[in-house]
Structures are given as C-alpha cells and as structure tokens.
Amino acid sequence: MSNYVRIFDTTLRDGEQSPGATLTSSEKVEIARQLARLGVDIIEAGFPAASPDDLAGVRLVAEEVGREENVRKWAPEGVRPPIICGLARASAADIDRAWEAVRTADRPRIHTFLATSEIHMKHKLRLDPEEVVERTREMVAYARSLCADVEFSPEDAGRSNPDFLYVVLAEAIKAGATTLNIPDTVGYTLPDEFGGLIAGIIRNTPGIAGVTVSVHCHDDLGLATANTLAGIAAGARQAEVTLNGIGERAGNTSLEEVVMALHTRRPIFKLDCGVRTEQITSSSRMVSQYTGIVVQPNKAIVGANAFAHEAGIHQDGMLKHNLTYEIMQPETVGLSQSRLVLGKHSGRAALRARLLEMGYELTDENLGEVFNRFKRVADKKKNVTEADLQALVKDELYQPREIFHLEDMQVVCGTLGMPTATVRMRGPDGASVVRAAMGTGPVDACYKAIDEIMLLPNKLLEYNLHAVTEGIDALGEVSVRIQVDARDVSAPQRLSAQHEQLGHRIFGGHGASTDTIVAGARAYVNAINKAMAALGMHSDQQAPDAARTPTA
Ligand code: KIV
Ligand code: ZN
C-alpha cells in the first residue's frame, strides 16, 4: 500500500455550501491558485449543475489553475496544476455539466454520488437498493466514457449497511471508478466505527486493490478529524477536507488539522502528503476573508490563539524551552506574527517583493493601488505585518467588479446626539450620490445611508469586527453576511447538490481599515455589490429596479 495520502480539497464545493460562503468566480480562482501553491492534489471546484454561475466558476478554475501553460504564468517554480474535479449527482445531465466544466484541465475528474443508506434511499431517492446498484453502474460507466478519472461516493455511507456498500462499490469499480470516496455525510460515526468501516470495505470489496479509497467526514459531533485519521490508519489514501473546516452545518474535516496531525505524528502514521505546511496560515486567512467566515480564536492550527501562550506558567516554560508547551513550531504553518514586514519608509519594490513571497503577483496598476493603501496604513501604524498586507490586498483587489464604489464617508457620534453618517458613492452610471442618515449607532447610520444609495433591500445577518494584529493601532477587519430580501427582488437562487432544493443565497462581504467604521462600510458595500453581481448587474449597466441609482 502506498505511503502517500492525497489531499482532496473541497473548500470551493462543500465549503462553499456553508451559509453565506458564496464566492464569486474570481474569488474561486484566487483561492484555487492558493490551493495549488499549498500543494493539494485535487481541487473540487464546485457543483456545475447548481447554476450557470457555478459552471462558469469551475470552468475558470479548470482553465487558470488546472492547465500547466496557465499555471506557469503565475505560479512559483515547483507548483504543479492539481487535478480539477466537478461534482455531479448520478444523472447524465449533471455528469455532462461537470464534464463541460472540467474538461479543459490537464487532469480533469468527475465526482458522482448516490445515497446508499436506507433512510436516504427510501425518503430522498425513493429507489430500491437494486435500483441504486443499477444507477451506480450506469452513471459511473457514463462518467467513465467521458473522463478517465472518475470518483464515486455512496452518500451517507456512515449510516449505510456495510454489506450493501461492498456490493455498490464493487459495481462502481467494475463500471470504471478510479477513486471510491466514503462519506460520513451527517457526521454520525465514531472513530473506531469509521476506521472499522474503511477496513471492512478494503477487506471485502471485490476489485478494490486497484482503486484509491478516500474518506470524507463531517463534524456534527466534532469528530471529523478523528474519523478521517482513523480512516487513513485503516488504509484510506485520500482525505477530503476544507480549509478552516468550513462546510455544511458544523463543517467538514479541516485540511490543516489532518495535514499537521500527519506531519507532527509522522512516526505513528509513517505517511506523507504533498502539502507545503508553511502555506497553511495564508491559505486559511484568504478563505476566511473571501467567505466572510471568521475563524474561532481557539481553532486548532489557524486560530489566533493556536500559538499564543497567555498563562504565566506556560510563558515561563516557553522561555526555558519552546517544546515544553509547543508541539509544532509556528513557522511550520507559515506564522510569523511578530515579524515586522515593512515600515512607512519602505518603497514600492520592497512591497512588491514581500507580496511575491506571500504568493501575490500584482500588475503595476494593482501594485500602485495596494501601495497607496499601504502608505496610508503605515502612516498610522508603526508595524505593518503580513496579516495587515493580506487584508489590504484582499480589500483592494479581489472585490467583484464594483457596481457601487464607496468614495467618502463621515460619521458623527458620541453621547451628545444622534449618530449621523454622510456617505458619498459612485453609482453604475458614474455619477456621485451623497446621502445622510441617522441611526442607533455609527454603523447603523452608515448602513442606512448606504441603503439609501444602493437601494437593494436586504437583511444584515451577521457583523463581525476583529483586529488583524495586536495593539491600539491595529487594522480592523469587518466581515458581514446579508440576505437579499426575496419579497422585493428575485433573489438569486442555486440548486443544492445534496438537498435538491433551491435556496436563497447569502452574501458575505469584507472590509479592512484602521478606522473600524470605514471597514464596516466597505464590508457592507462589498456584500451588496456581490449580491448585485449575482442579480446580473454590471458596473457598466443601468441598475435594475431594485437597485436604481437615485439622482443626486
Ligand atoms: O457529505 C457528503 O456526502 C458529500 C458527498 C457529495 C461526497 O459531500
Ligand atoms: Zn460533504
């Protein structure tokens, strides 16, 4: 058995199924590039049958990140295009869309799935077990007629009868599946149980020797990483994971936890994977910024406190020898918190070089924009760290093409009067519009003024403010999530891969500034711009009724 574990990243598919994690195509490509730098083996880029947008996003990833000739244009030496995978239900129409989306990659993969647990077969699929076996055979064979690399997943395998699984999986192998992925779809199993399931599958499924066995766990009981490691110990050689563990409900197995467990406990596992661990921190931050899903401070490996030693007794131990309380070095995961990156006297060339080291290759024009923001921050803040730079790059560059642009704002607040915000924005017709509003606080006032200009009815579901680094002069980052009000506009919908339902999309936005109210305004405008883009508006188009620009 091979001693290499393939890392299959599904941040852009299962991760993006988290409420509010909606990503634009350009954000997907940026994350996919970072995943390639990180060294994952397979990127599951989306579910192309969900909507035309999703198909376009996966296709773009296949082109930009899945083809050697394009990867050479942006990637540092040594970065290879990963396999690009598209998800499909076990239907010819879905498989056709997945193939259409991934076919231009050098190494495309179709991943098709069909539920095998009693409860799913009876209530969701309304199929007999024999019909499930038949459909598996037909659809895997169909996918294989299009693509040489086919993965099959018996959905809800964790609650399926193992004897039935052996039969379904054997048929999938005969029909041409090259990877068999075993999902614990609802995060129900315990580590011993899941390890036993994988061992049983490897022992009892005819023909399994020639295929890769994969594990895909959800975290409903907080056991996703433990179950994944148990599956690997039992012989699985592919792990399906997401950065920061994002995903449906409680999320998926987190990439960083599995990779660092394999790395830190190598004498136990004796297994390798291709992930460049020093890229973990920047990858995690990028995903958090783009999805708007904040990483909890005590999250293993990538949480703000993961390497912080607060208690005096720990600090004393650390000063004597860092291995007293630290099982991993922060540098191993690319954390260089205290490292001063650049100061206010640093020039454009130094900034370009530092950003290149962090994986951002900017055009002259983009570099100019980031440099101007950097200078403004450096004037206010003594130490500009890597985390600050990452927040600025995201804030300046990886925005959807803005439909409305926040030009200026001023807020008056305090204990004496009503908080009032005045906001000036440039609309899609190029004209500037000014509106003022009062609110219960400065953020509320500001959001009301923005609403009066952007006119897209929405509900603010979440507002999160956190400091990028320590200190009174820290750059503040705000993440928001909004839901477009379906009564007033035809809110964009997309099909969920597993629930077969159309759902309203929630949009996340992100903003950074040394002024937290400005950061909040940027985040809100960013989220509304994303929603408008999904409604089909463009920056050079007249806004639809729900978002018409009022005359100044
Ligand atoms: O959790 C699950 O079962 C899935 C499948 C589509 C693999 O995400
Ligand atoms: Zn899943």
Side-chain angles (χ1 to χ4, degrees):
M1 191 175 281
S2 150
N3 67 351
Y4 186 83
V5 179
R6 288 175 160 212
I7 300 296
F8 175 116
D9 183 277
T10 182
T11 306
L12 299 179
R13 200 279 297 170
D14 223 342
E16 209 222 6
Q17 284 176 220
S18 321
T22 314
L23 298 163
T24 62
S25 290
S26 58
E27 286 173 330
K28 276 196 162 193
V29 169
E30 266 331 296
I31 293 178
R33 286 184 173 161
Q34 182 56 30
L35 289 169
R37 285 184 206 105
L38 180 64
V40 305
D41 300 278
I42 301 114
I43 295 176
E44 186 165 56
F47 171 45
S51 71
D53 254 14
D54 287 80
L55 194 149
V58 178
R59 192 190 278 143
L60 205 59
V61 171
E63 280 283 330
E64 296 294 317
V65 187
R67 289 169 69 100
E68 180 79 36
E69 66 194 75
N70 291 335
V71 168
R72 289 285 60 87
K73 293 181 194 151
W74 55 265
E77 206 48 46
V79 171
R80 285 206 59 209
I83 292 171
I84 307 295
C85 174
L87 182 71
R89 287 166 300 180
S91 81
D94 269 32
I95 292 172
D96 285 339
R97 292 214 182 94
W99 178 235
E100 195 184 329
V102 298
R103 63 186 302 167
T104 56
D106 291 348
R107 293 184 297 153
R109 174 180 293 188
I110 297 174
H111 175 193
T112 188
F113 71 98
L114 189 63
T116 48
S117 64
E118 288 246 348
I119 187 162
H120 275 227
M121 289 191 289
K122 191 162 166 199
H123 298 289
K124 180 174 115 161
L125 299 177
R126 298 203 175 91
L127 291 178
D128 292 337
E130 296 70 34
E131 291 173 307
V132 166
V133 175
E134 179 57 26
R135 180 147 353 145
T136 301
R137 185 185 307 125
E138 266 176 33
M139 289 303 124
V140 171
Y142 181 57
R144 187 60 203 263
S145 72
L146 302 171
C147 182
D149 186 347
V150 173
E151 172 168 328
F152 173 72
S153 295
E155 192 191 9
D156 204 17
R159 291 189 298 170
S160 300
N161 176 336
D163 291 326
F164 181 56
L165 278 179
Y166 308 150
V167 174
V168 175
L169 295 174
E171 284 306 320
I173 297 170
K174 277 197 266 166
T178 43
T179 298
L180 294 176
N181 176 49
I182 311 303
D184 181 18
T185 303
V186 290
Y188 178 70
T189 61
L190 305 176
D192 280 353
E193 211 179 346
F194 193 68
L197 179 68
I198 300 301
I201 286 171
I202 293 175
R203 216 174 25 246
N204 297 311
T205 306
I208 197 120
V211 305
T212 303
V213 176
S214 165
V215 284
H216 175 116
C217 298
H218 281 265
D219 209 26
D220 299 65
L221 292 174
L223 294 170
T225 299
N227 287 346
T228 297
L229 293 173
I232 291 172
R237 288 296 175 266
Q238 175 177 291
E240 303 205 349
V241 292
T242 62
L243 278 159
N244 303 337
I246 63 169
E248 288 235 48
R249 307 182 310 279
N252 287 58
T253 308
S254 95
L255 178 148
E256 59 277 10
E257 291 174 13
V258 171
V259 167
M260 289 314 291
L262 292 178
H263 182 89
T264 309
R265 305 305 305 274
R266 200 178 180 288
I268 302 282
F269 288 103
K270 302 186 179 63
L271 294 170
D272 297 316
C273 72
V275 167
R276 297 175 191 91
T277 58
E278 64 289 353
Q279 290 286 333
I280 285 178
T281 300
S282 49
S283 308
S284 155
R285 284 186 187 146
M286 183 184 273
V287 168
S288 167
Q289 287 172 352
Y290 285 20
T291 58
I293 299 178
V294 177
V295 176
Q296 73 194 56
N298 57 325
K299 166 82 181 63
I301 321 292
V302 294
N305 297 346
F307 292 91
H309 298 275
E310 199 68 48
I313 188 166
H314 285 203
Q315 288 183 349
D316 180 56
M318 285 288 293
L319 289 174
K320 288 177 179 145
H321 197 302
N322 60 1
L323 289 183
T324 45
Y325 286 99
E326 212 167 64
I327 59 165
M328 297 164 276
Q329 308 290 295
E331 294 74 25
T332 314
V333 296
L335 195 67
S336 48
Q337 244 172 3
S338 57
R339 189 157 141 218
L340 175 90
V341 175
L342 298 164
K344 72 177 189 180
H345 300 297
S346 309
R348 205 176 278 255
L351 178 68
R352 186 196 288 275
R354 190 70 200 97
L355 288 173
L356 252 179
E357 273 173 44
M358 288 165 58
Y360 296 108
E361 190 171 354
L362 307 191
T363 60
D364 286 344
E365 191 193 337
N366 286 342
L367 182 71
E369 286 161 20
V370 175
F371 186 67
N372 291 340
R373 281 288 297 279
F374 158 73
K375 279 287 179 192
R376 287 205 294 277
V377 170
D379 270 346
K380 294 187 190 145
K381 193 173 183 299
K382 231 176 27 215
N383 301 346
V384 181
T385 67
E386 202 170 278
D388 293 325
L389 283 183
Q390 199 155 19
L392 288 185
V393 170
K394 154 73 182 145
D395 209 42
E396 275 303 316
L397 301 185
Y398 302 120
Q399 304 280 357
R401 266 179 68 209
E402 283 189 309
I403 295 163
F404 283 86
H405 174 71
L406 179 67
E407 291 183 322
D408 284 304
M409 55 180 280
Q410 180 170 300
V411 178
V412 182
C413 65
T415 52
L416 287 180
M418 288 298 290
T420 310
T422 310
V423 170
R424 185 170 65 218
M425 300 185 76
R426 196 180 56 243
D429 55 4
S432 289
V433 183
V434 180
R435 287 286 180 274
M438 288 199 301
T440 52
V443 175
D444 186 46
C446 202
Y447 283 19
K448 283 191 171 131
I450 292 170
D451 282 341
E452 283 198 26
I453 299 174
M454 295 184 84
L455 292 178
L456 186 72
N458 72 80
K459 190 155 110 200
L460 181 67
L461 301 177
E462 207 176 298
Y463 171 97
N464 272 303
L465 164 66
H466 86 279
V468 176
T469 47
E470 288 154 19
I472 192 77
D473 57 358
L475 201 61
E477 253 186 323
V478 174
S479 300
V480 296
R481 292 206 242 179
I482 61 163
Q483 184 173 338
V484 175
D485 191 337
R487 282 166 309 170
D488 297 296
V489 289
S490 58
Q493 301 203 324
R494 75 170 0 168
L495 188 68
S496 146
Q498 287 157 284
H499 307 304
E500 318 243 340
Q501 288 162 357
L502 284 172
H504 289 300
R505 286 163 68 171
I506 295 168
F507 296 89
H510 169 271
S513 170
T514 46
D515 182 321
T516 55
I517 308 295
V518 175
R522 286 201 173 118
Y524 190 54
V525 170
N526 179 222
I528 301 180
N529 270 327
K530 275 195 195 177
M532 286 181 161
L535 279 167
M537 290 180 60
H538 301 290
S539 45
D540 48 0
Q541 265 181 6
Q542 185 63 38
D545 281 355
R548 210 179 316 105
T549 315
T551 43

